[in-house]
Amino acid sequence: MTNRFGTTTDMVIQPVEEGGVSYLLAIDSQGLYLTTKNRLDTQLADPNRYSGARQGVLERLKALGLDPEALAAQNQHKIQVSKGDTAQKVNPLKASKRSRKAA
C-alpha cells in the first residue's frame, strides 16, 4: 500500500551523516529529501517531505560530496505511484448547479 504523505523503508536511498547527525536520503515524486529514522514506516505524515523542508537539500548533498542528479536518476524505481481511486472526478461547480435543479 502506498503511503501518500509518510516515508517508507523502500523510499530510502542511503544514510547520510551531516554535522554529527544521521539522516536518511529518500526519494518521492517531488525529488530527493532528507528525513530521520523515527519518521520511517509510521502512518503519520513526514514533515521532511513538505516543500519548505526541501529547500537547500540539493546544495547540502553537493556539499557532502554527493551528486543529487545521479542519485535521483539511479533511484527512479523507488518512487511510489499511487493508484488513486477510479471514480470519476466531480466538478464542484457543476455539482452545485445539479443540486439547485433537484430542489
Side-chain angles (χ1 to χ4, degrees), residues 33-82:
Y33 64 98
L34 294 170
T35 190
T36 55
K37 190 174 183 175
N38 66 341
R39 292 292 179 181
L40 283 181
D41 296 322
T42 64
Q43 294 302 315
L44 303 174
D46 185 351
N48 298 305
R49 289 182 72 179
Y50 301 162
S51 60
R54 290 178 189 256
Q55 293 178 352
V57 169
L58 297 180
E59 290 79 19
R60 288 169 63 190
L61 292 174
K62 287 179 183 176
L64 293 170
L66 299 171
D67 183 6
E69 291 82 16
L71 286 169
Q74 293 168 357
N75 293 286
Q76 289 295 312
H77 64 280
K78 292 186 177 210
I79 297 175
Q80 297 178 355
V81 180
S82 63

Side-chain angles (χ1 to χ4, degrees), residues 13-31:
I13 297 172
Q14 68 184 47
V16 175
E17 190 78 26
E18 180 184 41
V21 180
S22 294
Y23 294 101
L24 297 172
L25 180 62
I27 189 168
D28 65 4
S29 60
Q30 302 297 315

Side-chain angles (χ1 to χ4, degrees), residues 1-11 41-44 49 78-84:
M1 184 172 131
T2 302
N3 188 338
R4 289 181 57 198
F5 304 109
T7 302
T8 58
T9 306
D10 55 338
M11 297 166 69
D41 296 322
T42 64
Q43 294 302 315
L44 303 174
R49 289 182 72 179
K78 292 186 177 210
I79 297 175
Q80 297 178 355
V81 180
S82 63
K83 303 292 186 222

